[in-house]
């Protein structure tokens, strides 16, 4: 059985589906601070089987010890954590507590239970502002620009030290580039409870009429069109990377690091254009000053994952955008309650959005 912490969240839920598709039994451990039990039903529908679920917090050793006592866990995929950069600046202690403290408590509970295979959801943010592209795993980790980034780097270092101290540990640090998209059925994806921080969730909410305009942060970068360039990777491809990594880690020893990206960067304007072309919805945008902490460009050299794991992202940017839009239309059709934290109009032109996407709600 595989434990997936944060398994009802955006990435974790896709990882759980991958594991179920490969015949694994799965237990999810999540405190639901940024997800809901609705994910469990979606996973069961898409996976054809249920994952077990335990409500709990990775900072709570007693809950973790009970979890390892109750289930025959062979390996852990640790996706639980907080990920909003702006919030991490305002509430650094909460971020260090969850992302570093939670990782330490988890490692302690694993060691106590004799479980030593661990995959960690890390981020390309640990590379900081890298001078050369593409970024491979030999690039030095940089100086993160916010507490979220520091918390990811600190958690990585905890795991690196741990594995150096005890050869029973087999740890995979998966450095995600920019996961976007949704399950290709359109039935499982990201459902931000707050104002989205990231490009694609924000763009989708503009497309569905929940927000008025996309603010493009900076058009004076040294990139082909002046806007920031990122390596967007389909969340289903990303999830497949976890399965491959797990195979490589089981029975191994030490720490291994893999970038999970496509190796291709797209600018903000390229993403907007691709969305309009693929999904048929124009996006209103304004150019704003650069966002503090942003780097001009960031894309992966995914060669190590290809060579060592046989993993390669297969889905195109158009696939990512189409799947994400299908999911956004599904959410709108289900009349998801929306938390409005800005002055934007609460109208959701569901029919218009669906017509534009060619998607029919069931
Ligand atoms: P998410 O917020 O959708 O999922 C995280 C899950 O963890 C949520 O279900 C949340 O309820 C749970 N959680 C948070 N704190 C917890 C705690 N203390 N105890 C138990 N459960 C807790 O985020 P995501 O996009 O799925 O990200 C998953 C992981 O990947 C995170 O660690 C994130 O930092 C990392 N990551 C994400 C991205 C991205 O763009 N999505 C990029 C790089 C790295
Ligand atoms: C951000 C975080 C990073 C985190 C990642 C995944 C920052 C500085 N970095 O990465 O630590 O790991 O999310 O959670 O926040 N953009 C706009 N308008 C928007 C939103 C984004 O123009 O409304 C631009 C950004 O300036 C950037 C690109 O879109 O050029 C991608 O932004 P985003 O999706 O937030 O990802 P990252 O900045 O790469």
């Amino acid at each position: 059985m595989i434990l997936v912490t944060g398994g009802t969240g955006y990435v974790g839920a896709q990882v759980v589906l991958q594991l179920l598709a490969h015949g694994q039994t799965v237990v999810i451990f999540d405190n639901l601070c940024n997800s809901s039990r609705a994910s469990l039903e979606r996973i069961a529908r898409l996976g054809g089987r249920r994952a077990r679920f335990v409500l709990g917090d990775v900072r709570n050793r007693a809950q973790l010890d009970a979890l390892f006592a109750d289930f025959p866990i062979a390996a852990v995929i640790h996706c639980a954590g907080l990920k909003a950069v702006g919030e991490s600046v305002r509430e650094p202690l909460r971020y260090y507590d969850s992302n570093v403290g939670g990782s330490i408590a988890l490692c302690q509970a694993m060691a106590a239970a004799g479980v030593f295979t661990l995959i960690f959801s890390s981020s390309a943010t640990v590379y900081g502002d890298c001078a050369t592209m593409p970024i491979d795993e030999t690039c030095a980790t940089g100086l993160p620009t916010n507490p979220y980034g520091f918390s990811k780097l600190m958690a990585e270092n905890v795991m690196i030290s741990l594995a150096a101290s005890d050869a029973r540990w087999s740890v995979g640090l998966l450095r995600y580039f920019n996961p976007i998209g949704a399950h290709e059925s359109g039935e499982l994806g990201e459902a931000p409870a707050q104002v989205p921080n990231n490009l694609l969730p924000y763009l989708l909410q503009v497309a569905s009429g929940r927000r008025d305009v996309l603010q493009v942060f900076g058009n004076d970068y040294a990139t082909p069109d002046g806007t920031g360039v990122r390596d967007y990777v389909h969340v289903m491809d990303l999830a497949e990377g976890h399965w491959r990594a797990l195979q490589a880690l089981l029975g191994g020893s030490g720490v291994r690091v893999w970038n999970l990206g496509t190796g291709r960067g797209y600018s903000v304007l390229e993403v907007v254009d691709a969305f309009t072309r693929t999904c048929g919805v124009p996006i209103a945008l304004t150019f704003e000053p650069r966002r503090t902490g942003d780097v001009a460009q960031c894309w992966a050299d995914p060669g190590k994952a290809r060579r060592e794991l046989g993993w390669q992202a297969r889905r195109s940017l158009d696939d990512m955008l189409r799947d994400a839009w299908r999911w956004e239309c599904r959410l709108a059709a289900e009349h998801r309650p929306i938390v409005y934290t800005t002055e934007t109009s609460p109208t959701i032109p569901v029919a218009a959005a669906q017509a534009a996407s060619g998607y029919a709600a069931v």
Side-chain angles (χ1 to χ4, degrees), residues 85 123 125 148 178 198-199 215-217 230 232 291 294:
V85 171
S123 167
T125 195
Y148 166 74
N178 288 60
N198 298 119
L199 176 64
Q215 297 174 299
V216 176
F217 299 132
R230 297 291 185 276
Y232 298 95
R291 183 173 65 177
D294 268 355

Side-chain angles (χ1 to χ4, degrees), residues 9-11 30-31 33-35 57-58 79 83 122 148 152:
Y10 173 51
V11 174
D30 200 302
N31 67 1
C33 72
N34 198 36
S35 57
D57 195 302
V58 286
C79 299
K83 62 165 182 175
S122 189
Y148 166 74
K152 286 284 150 185

Side-chain angles (χ1 to χ4, degrees), residues 7 41 72 115 175 184 212 217-218 227 231 236 274 282 295 313 345 350:
E41 302 311 317
V115 179
R175 292 178 179 159
E184 60 206 358
D212 296 332
F217 299 132
T227 64
D231 185 339
M236 291 180 73
V295 297
S345 153
V350 178

Side-chain angles (χ1 to χ4, degrees), residues 83-86 122-126 145-146 148-149 152 176-180 190 196-203 213-218 221 227-232 266-268 286 289-298:
K83 62 165 182 175
V85 171
S122 189
S123 167
T125 195
V126 301
T145 52
N146 53 68
Y148 166 74
K152 286 284 150 185
Y176 307 166
F177 279 67
N178 288 60
I180 61 168
E190 188 167 24
N197 172 58
N198 298 119
L199 176 64
L200 199 72
Y202 205 101
L203 184 157
V213 64
L214 174 71
Q215 297 174 299
V216 176
F217 299 132
Y221 285 110
T227 64
V229 171
R230 297 291 185 276
D231 185 339
Y232 298 95
Y266 288 96
S267 73
V268 175
T286 58
R290 296 179 181 192
R291 183 173 65 177
T292 308
D294 268 355
V295 297
Q297 51 187 12
C298 175

